[in-house]
Amino acid sequence: MLPDSRGYFGEYGGKFVPETLMPALSELESAYAEAVADRRFQQEFKRLCRDYIGRPTPLYHAQKLSEKTGGATILLKREDLAHTGAHKINNALGQGLLARCMGKTRIIAETGAGQHGVAAATVCAMLGIECIVYMGTEDIRRQASNVYRMKLMGAEVRPVTSGSRTLKDAINEAIRDWVSNVGNTHYLLGSVVGPHPYPMIVRDFQSIIGRETREQVMADYRRLPDYLVACVGGGSNSIGLFHPFFDDENVKFVGVEAGGTGIASGHHSATLVTGRTGVLHGTKSYLMEDEHGQIMETRSIAPGLDYPGVGPEHSFYKDIGRASYVTVDDAQALEGFRLLCETEGIIPALESAHAIYHAAKIAAELDREKLIIVNLSGRGDKDLDIVNDALGISI
Amino acid sequence: MKNIASVFKQNHKALIGYITAGYPDIAATPKIAAVLAENGCDIIELGIPFSDPLADGATIQKSSHQALLKGTTPKACLETAATIRKSIDIPLVFMTYYNPVLNYGLEAFCRDCTRAGIIALIVPDLPPEEGIELGEITDKHGMDLIYLLAPNSTPERIKAVAEKSRGFIYLVSLTGVTGARDSLPPELEDFIKRVRARARLPLCVGFGISTPEHARRIGSIADGVIVGSRIIDLIDEDSTFSSLKSFVSGLRNALDSNGKI
């Protein structure tokens, strides 16, 4: 079972952090091991997943979308219907409970699209823990509605003005805060990135997506799907869907990265498709870096995908050929966004719209008997300003 | 060329000055290094700027960012080190994050460091668990890979770092990022004692040290002090470096006056 005891998935992962954080990572690792074995912890997580998040989320047959593509049957895993409107809440709830077990009185988080920030603020309000969210000023501008939501739930949103003022820089600031306040603070990291044990813990909490999907597809179709499709920024919604199907060799995994304004333009976030191995934010993984080893600025219309790194488990899946990774650019994502609005009456997050576009594309080339499951990782209310600007829709 | 061990003589406390290579520009770096050496630094820690310096506070984030905007590359830092080496014979060490080193190639980087007269590396995001490969390569090239300890390091970690660090051990004075501070944490002496009980290597203390008084206090219990952010601040202050000169010689005097008053 990966990761190994040093936190590696093959050659990826590890703990590349300042010494000050090493004891905190050990503490987190032990607390997590205890929580896994603790029946009361697991029962509470399960109960809150049901009563607070509203799990299980449905697996919905998108009939009109499938018909429109003229090919395979497309099913949507409706994480957009989870409390707060995205899959991020699964991990935020799990880590929030862990923080309480460790006696931490302060939680910090980073956010790009704001969905993880909202999830963290939500769980902290529910558990009564102080919450501080770091967010790049570019993302604050792009995802203002989520900033309001965080503030309403009592979180402090700290603007980050360094670098590209997006997710990468928010993580830098969160790590600096953690180094400075490591005694009383838990860093509620929102994706399957960062030093061990984060990629493992976040994957485990998000794997509820794949486990439910498996039960649901077996109950409704009596068979496993042919494809699982999900967008990949840091990679938590995709790993959450993929991981429980790892041993099912006939189930193909497709991760969709943000192509931005096109790979040739250089303005994108296609880490696995175009990057190479490096170390960022405590983990060894694929990375977008220049020839001198400096981290590159990324871009995507979807703030949640706008990140130059990726979870080490994805890098491993890529190298062993377990998953394939493709890109969908901004314009195509907008097409996917519209397609789902118009065919199904569902407004997807721009992140998830990348996966929708690609699923529709492969569906068109397949028979009706083939099953494609797309992780609809979040809803798109947060993106209406971006989309209306891009599509020129006015009131 | 002097090695690191030669710095730690009896009755002499080491003064280690950090500067970001390429800040304010690459031509200034050898001049600033000369100021440090002439005014009493025993070791110069030359920072290779990295785009995401997560162990650094605002000052070194800014100097790194500026240096990168001016096009400072690891290669340029190596060339600058070689230039400095020609006129200064105190030890030169590199401080940088792991990714630029990994990207350069561990073997090639150490080879080129040796050629440029760099004799040690400090990599703040590389704990000993992840430093096995780099440690073997630096050993092979006769370079020192210096590890760090923090006030919250457990006895087991202190032991592990004491075994694996070369040259000296870099004690981070506080749980936090780099940057000048008004005061040092009260637990500092206790931390140094805990490490001293488990380590034979010289102990140098950095992060937050910004006044001669700080240096004096640390010099009375540790083997050296490392000063960075305050030096960067003073570089900005005047182009003749006169405030930098008096600051560095003030630190030197504070360390030398220990026990003599």
Side-chain angles (χ1 to χ4, degrees):
Chain A
M1 185 69 177
L2 293 173
D4 66 19
S5 60
R6 293 168 54 237
Y8 275 82
F9 304 86
E11 63 171 299
Y12 303 108
K15 294 180 182 179
F16 295 85
V17 295
E19 173 64 27
T20 314
L21 294 181
M22 293 299 283
L25 293 175
S26 302
E27 181 191 2
L28 179 59
E29 214 176 330
S30 322
Y32 181 65
E34 275 172 40
V36 167
D38 179 357
R39 192 185 295 178
R40 270 182 316 179
F41 182 97
Q42 295 300 332
Q43 276 170 350
E44 185 174 19
F45 181 63
K46 224 172 173 175
R47 179 178 62 80
L48 288 168
C49 276
R50 186 192 66 197
D51 300 346
Y52 191 70
I53 300 181
R55 304 204 72 89
T57 58
L59 183 67
Y60 167 70
H61 175 200
Q63 205 168 340
K64 271 187 72 204
L65 174 65
S66 307
E67 279 167 15
K68 176 118 187 186
T69 70
T73 301
I74 299 174
L75 309 177
L76 305 177
K77 179 59 173 168
R78 298 291 308 272
E79 290 300 297
D80 62 316
L81 294 178
H83 180 41
T84 70
H87 74 290
K88 292 289 185 189
I89 190 80
N90 303 323
N91 166 57
L93 175 64
Q95 283 196 49
L97 295 174
L98 260 183
R100 198 185 58 187
C101 290
M102 292 188 288
K104 302 290 180 184
T105 56
R106 183 174 177 270
I107 280 181
I108 56 171
E110 83 297 338
T111 199
Q115 289 302 133
H116 174 59
V118 167
T122 300
V123 167
C124 286
M126 192 258 289
L127 295 174
I129 301 177
E130 181 190 0
C131 182
I132 290 146
V133 180
Y134 289 91
M135 188 171 189
T137 49
E138 171 61 12
D139 289 335
I140 288 178
R141 184 188 67 73
R142 291 194 281 182
Q143 307 274 250
S145 65
N146 275 341
V147 179
Y148 292 127
R149 293 167 79 198
M150 288 182 255
K151 288 187 171 175
L152 279 171
M153 290 180 287
E156 182 194 337
V157 180
R158 290 196 185 160
V160 176
T161 55
S162 55
S164 53
R165 304 170 181 202
T166 57
L167 181 55
K168 165 182 82 92
D169 312 287
I171 296 180
N172 287 339
E173 266 330 297
I175 292 175
R176 290 183 187 118
D177 180 316
W178 200 26
V179 169
S180 307
N181 299 288
V182 66
N184 68 349
T185 299
H186 173 65
Y187 178 20
L188 206 176
L189 187 46
S191 193
V192 286
V193 299
H196 179 66
Y198 282 105
M200 171 181 78
I201 292 177
V202 179
R203 174 199 70 197
D204 290 356
F205 286 134
Q206 293 295 3
S207 290
I208 193 166
I209 302 171
R211 289 198 306 273
E212 284 176 9
T213 301
R214 194 188 176 87
E215 272 178 35
Q216 290 164 323
V217 74
M218 291 306 287
D220 294 352
Y221 296 85
R222 312 240 167 258
R223 52 166 294 210
L224 290 170
D226 299 288
Y227 288 88
L228 299 176
V229 181
C231 62
V232 180
S236 71
N237 89 77
S238 42
I239 280 289
L241 177 64
F242 295 169
H243 186 259
F245 293 90
F246 183 84
D247 294 325
D248 304 304
E249 286 166 17
N250 294 324
V251 180
K252 296 184 183 70
F253 300 168
V254 185
V256 184
E257 293 194 309
T261 53
I263 299 301
S265 75
H267 302 295
H268 57 80
S269 310
T271 308
L272 287 157
V273 171
T274 68
R276 59 176 192 271
T277 304
V279 168
L280 175 67
H281 295 149
T283 192
K284 186 186 273 190
S285 193
Y286 274 79
L287 194 62
M288 285 174 59
E289 59 182 341
D290 70 11
E291 56 180 312
H292 307 296
Q294 307 295 349
I295 310 306
M296 283 161 65
E297 292 201 357
T298 53
R299 113 101 287 137
S300 168
I301 195 169
L305 304 182
D306 204 344
Y307 181 63
V310 69
E313 192 162 359
H314 280 294
S315 296
F316 175 67
Y317 284 10
K318 177 185 160 89
D319 281 9
I320 61 168
R322 182 64 188 89
S324 60
Y325 296 90
V326 300
T327 61
V328 160
D329 67 25
D330 288 353
Q332 293 168 328
L334 283 166
E335 221 176 289
F337 183 94
R338 266 194 117 137
L339 183 65
L340 197 67
C341 290
E342 288 165 7
T343 57
E344 296 292 341
I346 296 171
I347 301 177
L350 277 171
E351 289 78 11
S352 321
H354 285 72
I356 296 289
Y357 177 88
H358 188 73
K361 189 174 136 189
I362 54 178
E365 293 154 15
L366 296 168
D367 301 337
R368 264 184 73 176
E369 292 67 41
K370 296 288 184 188
L371 273 184
I372 299 177
I373 297 178
V374 185
N375 196 1
L376 187 54
S377 54
R379 68 176 186 226
D381 309 47
K382 70 184 178 65
D383 296 319
L384 298 183
D385 287 344
I386 300 177
V387 172
N388 293 344
D389 272 358
L391 298 180
I393 298 171
S394 58
I395 296 169
Chain B
M1 189 189 352
K2 287 182 184 167
N3 64 16
I4 295 232
S6 72
V7 169
F8 297 97
K9 296 176 297 238
Q10 212 152 28
N11 301 322
H12 180 81
K13 301 295 180 179
L15 177 58
I16 303 171
Y18 165 92
I19 51 177
T20 304
Y23 182 79
D25 53 61
I26 202 79
T29 300
K31 295 177 203 157
I32 300 167
V35 170
L36 298 189
E38 284 158 14
N39 289 279
C41 279
D42 299 293
I43 296 174
I44 291 172
E45 197 188 307
L46 203 55
I48 301 177
F50 178 51
S51 54
D52 294 80
L54 50 78
D56 284 304
T59 302
I60 296 176
Q61 283 178 49
K62 191 191 76 180
S63 61
S64 302
H65 185 65
Q66 289 295 332
L68 288 173
L69 285 181
K70 295 255 167 116
T72 309
T73 62
K75 266 215 155 62
C77 295
L78 283 159
E79 285 161 14
T80 302
T83 306
I84 296 172
R85 180 83 286 149
K86 282 180 198 151
S87 52
I88 295 172
D89 76 335
I90 64 173
L92 282 181
V93 313
F94 267 153
M95 190 327 280
T96 191
Y97 289 81
Y98 193 49
N99 197 58
V101 178
L102 189 65
N103 178 72
Y104 198 102
L106 304 185
E107 178 68 43
F109 186 75
C110 293
R111 180 198 66 211
D112 291 354
C113 279
T114 308
R115 285 180 190 163
I118 293 286
I119 60 170
L121 299 179
I122 300 169
V123 188
D125 60 347
L126 191 74
E129 286 87 338
E130 304 292 354
I132 297 166
E133 195 183 353
L134 185 59
E136 285 168 2
I137 296 171
T138 47
D139 274 350
K140 194 180 85 184
H141 286 272
M143 291 174 72
D144 291 326
L145 180 57
I146 295 160
Y147 284 117
L148 297 88
L149 281 169
N152 60 340
S153 296
T154 57
E156 296 74 41
R157 295 200 59 79
I158 293 174
K159 207 169 152 257
V161 165
E163 273 168 25
K164 292 183 179 113
S165 197
R166 300 279 181 272
F168 63 85
I169 302 176
Y170 189 137
L171 304 195
V172 177
S173 72
L174 43 82
T175 50
V177 293
T178 60
R181 309 278 201 291
D182 291 336
S183 60
L184 297 176
E187 314 79 19
L188 187 55
E189 280 80 3
D190 176 60
F191 169 42
I192 295 168
K193 276 183 206 153
R194 277 189 292 122
V195 180
R196 185 76 82 195
R198 294 173 177 86
R200 286 186 179 174
L201 282 171
L203 309 180
C204 298
V205 180
F207 283 43
I209 294 153
S210 36
T211 68
E213 183 44 42
H214 291 167
R216 192 191 331 269
R217 187 176 140 198
I218 291 167
S220 68
I221 42 170
D223 306 299
V225 297
I226 306 164
V227 182
S229 296
R230 187 76 190 119
I231 289 177
I232 301 291
D233 287 338
L234 290 172
I235 288 172
D236 293 338
E237 221 156 81
D238 69 293
S239 54
T240 61
F241 305 123
S242 61
S243 20
L244 179 63
K245 284 175 195 167
S246 58
F247 174 66
V248 175
S249 52
L251 293 172
R252 178 76 270 161
N253 290 339
L255 288 171
D256 291 346
S257 70
N258 245 325
K260 291 178 193 158
I261 34 173

